[in-house]
Amino acid sequence: MNRSTRRRLTAAAMTVVAVATGTTACSSGSGSTSAKADGGAYTIWDPYPQFDKSSDWAKLLDDCGTKAGVKIKRTAFDTSDLSNKALLAAQQDNSADVLIVDNPVVSTLAEAGVLTTTDDNKLDTSKVDPNLLAAGQSGGKTYGTPVGANTLALYYNKEVLKEAGVDIGSVKDWKSLTAALAKVEKAGKKGITFSAIGTEEGSFQFLPWFWGSGAQLTDLDSAEAVSALSLWKGWLDKGYAPNSVLNNTQTTSWQEFASGDYAFAENGTWQLAGAKKAGFDYGVVPVPNATGGNAAAPTGGEFVTIPVQGDTGRYATSQKLVSCLTSSENLLVTDTTLSYVAPTSEVQDKQVAANAELKPWVDAVKAAKGRTSDDLGTKYPKISEQLWKAVQSALSGSKSPEDALATAQSAAK
């Protein structure tokens, strides 16, 4: 690895810390920073410390190793810890053979020279939905394949809507959604809860509305962007959304919805288990565009990648491991375990056939896009930070939506 690559790795370490997100819940994990295993084993690093050696996930890794004729040494890390360990290992020419990493980090690792391309490693990504694959693309090259995706949609409380006289079928755009919130508030119930906290979670939750307005992340102060932030601000001003959204994480926002008082909550697939335990009938619809149709919500989920190795002879076996892990049969099992929507239409159809409740989530994922898509790559963290600051400023009343986004655009440049 040459000096320029090492310099890129050092700079990239700071970006990885900024871009790593908490959009899915993971317990903390630990592992050795030495990627190479003894006895010719192949190393796999993943962000799933919640799965121990007895889990179906660990058994799948071992099974894929057996099929490839090698033993697997697996280490599980917390998401942000994994990204930094991957950069350190690359600096030492000691990368894992297979690295499973949060999708916004892929472009950062790729720019730092950590990852091989699918042209290099011969991974077949032809069945993957293009909008999901885009999260792992940078500079016209693809750096892995998604293991699955989660995203955001609107949960709704059927009883609250019934009492307010709202037909969920009438909620098709921002105007009709706001009208529904007005009816709910008039009926003495609470409207909608979400997370607008001053972190990546806040940007993550605002993006469906930002993109749903037609705005682009390269133009934060466009008229479309202002309309999206004005929508949220208007909901707070009218009491349709609580002031607590300013400090809400996606977890605390969900707890508000789970109380049974709210008509709507913006949240993700990872709350499905909690929804079933909430004690009331609920439904799910995609976040609507401003003028109708489904908004593009941001994708969460991981990519399976093959890091650069000094010994290029290892790539062929690594490719077999990744192909096994992301085969249609294994994706169905894995994505069910992770509460993910599969990255291919073939497996998505099987998921819906097995569980009809996943249909709105499949629709949402089909409309979704990666946060680093549009070739933003390592520019995204800075843009996102300015976006969540603008949301905080506008919702708190310290600036108008127009002024908050103008400040954000200036800083993002």
Side-chain angles (χ1 to χ4, degrees):
M1 191 172 294
N2 60 36
R3 288 185 179 180
S4 62
T5 300
R6 289 183 185 277
R7 285 196 296 270
R8 292 202 307 273
L9 283 166
T10 301
M14 296 304 295
T15 305
V16 167
V17 171
V19 81
T21 64
T23 56
T24 57
C26 275
S27 59
S28 62
S30 62
S32 167
T33 56
S34 178
K36 293 295 179 288
D38 296 330
Y42 273 65
T43 54
I44 297 180
W45 287 3
D46 68 51
Y48 311 129
Q50 68 271 35
F51 298 132
D52 61 21
K53 293 180 180 179
S54 64
S55 66
D56 289 340
W57 169 250
K59 291 176 182 177
L60 173 59
L61 298 182
D62 288 338
D63 182 57
C64 285
T66 298
K67 290 177 179 177
V70 296
K71 291 183 178 180
I72 298 299
K73 181 180 180 181
R74 177 219 176 193
T75 307
F77 298 91
D78 175 77
T79 297
S80 58
D81 196 27
L82 172 59
S83 305
N84 293 319
K85 289 293 196 302
L87 281 164
L88 178 61
Q91 285 182 303
Q92 299 169 344
D93 192 18
N94 194 34
S95 293
D97 292 291
V98 175
L99 178 65
I100 303 171
V101 66
D102 197 21
N103 77 67
V105 180
V106 173
S107 57
T108 298
L109 296 180
E111 186 173 302
V114 175
L115 305 177
T116 62
T117 70
T118 52
D119 287 338
D120 295 332
N121 57 45
K122 311 305 180 187
L123 275 178
D124 181 8
T125 60
S126 59
K127 292 183 178 180
V128 178
D129 288 353
N131 66 313
L132 301 182
L133 192 63
Q137 294 175 326
S138 179
K141 297 179 180 180
T142 304
Y143 292 89
T145 188
V147 70
N150 56 30
T151 194
L152 297 165
L154 294 181
Y155 287 86
Y156 62 91
N157 185 318
K158 293 183 178 181
E159 186 61 31
V160 170
L161 292 187
K162 182 179 179 180
E163 290 180 10
V166 174
D167 175 8
I168 191 62
S170 69
V171 178
K172 299 180 181 296
D173 52 25
W174 291 1
K175 183 178 180 180
S176 55
L177 175 57
T178 301
L181 295 177
K183 286 186 177 181
V184 169
E185 195 269 341
K186 187 175 181 180
K189 292 292 186 177
K190 299 177 180 179
I192 186 169
T193 180
F194 48 86
S195 169
I197 194 170
T199 68
E200 175 63 21
E201 282 189 82
S203 291
F204 189 76
Q205 289 242 316
F206 183 58
L207 279 173
W209 313 95
F210 182 87
W211 283 330
S213 72
Q216 301 293 321
L217 286 171
T218 51
D219 191 7
L220 295 180
D221 59 349
S222 67
E224 292 82 4
V226 171
S227 72
L229 190 47
S230 297
L231 178 74
W232 272 20
K233 175 60 174 170
W235 288 349
L236 263 69
D237 289 346
K238 294 175 182 176
Y240 300 163
N243 288 328
S244 58
V245 299
L246 278 160
N247 297 309
N248 269 348
T249 64
Q250 293 179 110
T251 298
T252 56
S253 171
W254 179 258
Q255 290 168 348
E256 288 180 335
F257 179 68
S259 70
D261 293 330
Y262 283 85
F264 294 94
E266 181 185 1
N267 229 297
T269 48
W270 53 91
Q271 301 291 6
L272 279 171
K276 293 176 181 178
K277 298 177 182 177
F280 53 81
D281 287 338
Y282 73 93
V284 180
V285 292
V287 176
N289 265 322
T291 57
N294 298 340
T299 57
E302 291 77 42
F303 264 62
V304 190
T305 67
I306 298 177
V308 172
Q309 302 289 342
D311 179 4
T312 58
R314 301 181 70 85
Y315 294 152
T317 298
S318 296
Q319 190 268 357
K320 291 179 181 179
L321 293 172
V322 176
S323 296
C324 176
L325 291 173
T326 57
S327 69
S328 294
E329 179 182 359
N330 288 331
L331 280 176
L332 181 61
V333 176
T334 298
D335 290 335
T336 300
T337 299
L338 296 172
S339 293
Y340 280 174
V341 171
T344 69
S345 295
E346 175 187 355
V347 183
Q348 290 166 3
D349 291 344
K350 293 179 180 178
Q351 287 182 302
V352 173
N355 181 3
E357 293 181 1
L358 289 177
K359 180 62 167 62
W361 291 109
V362 169
D363 291 342
V365 164
K366 284 186 176 297
K369 66 186 292 184
R371 284 161 279 174
T372 57
S373 296
D374 301 328
D375 218 23
L376 288 178
T378 55
K379 298 175 185 176
Y380 174 76
K382 185 174 183 179
I383 293 172
S384 176
E385 180 180 1
Q386 298 309 318
L387 187 60
W388 81 57
K389 286 181 177 178
V391 170
Q392 286 268 303
S393 294
L395 297 192
S396 67
S398 64
K399 291 183 179 179
S400 68
E402 293 87 350
D403 289 345
L405 289 167
T407 300
Q409 178 63 19
S410 178
K413 286 182 178 180

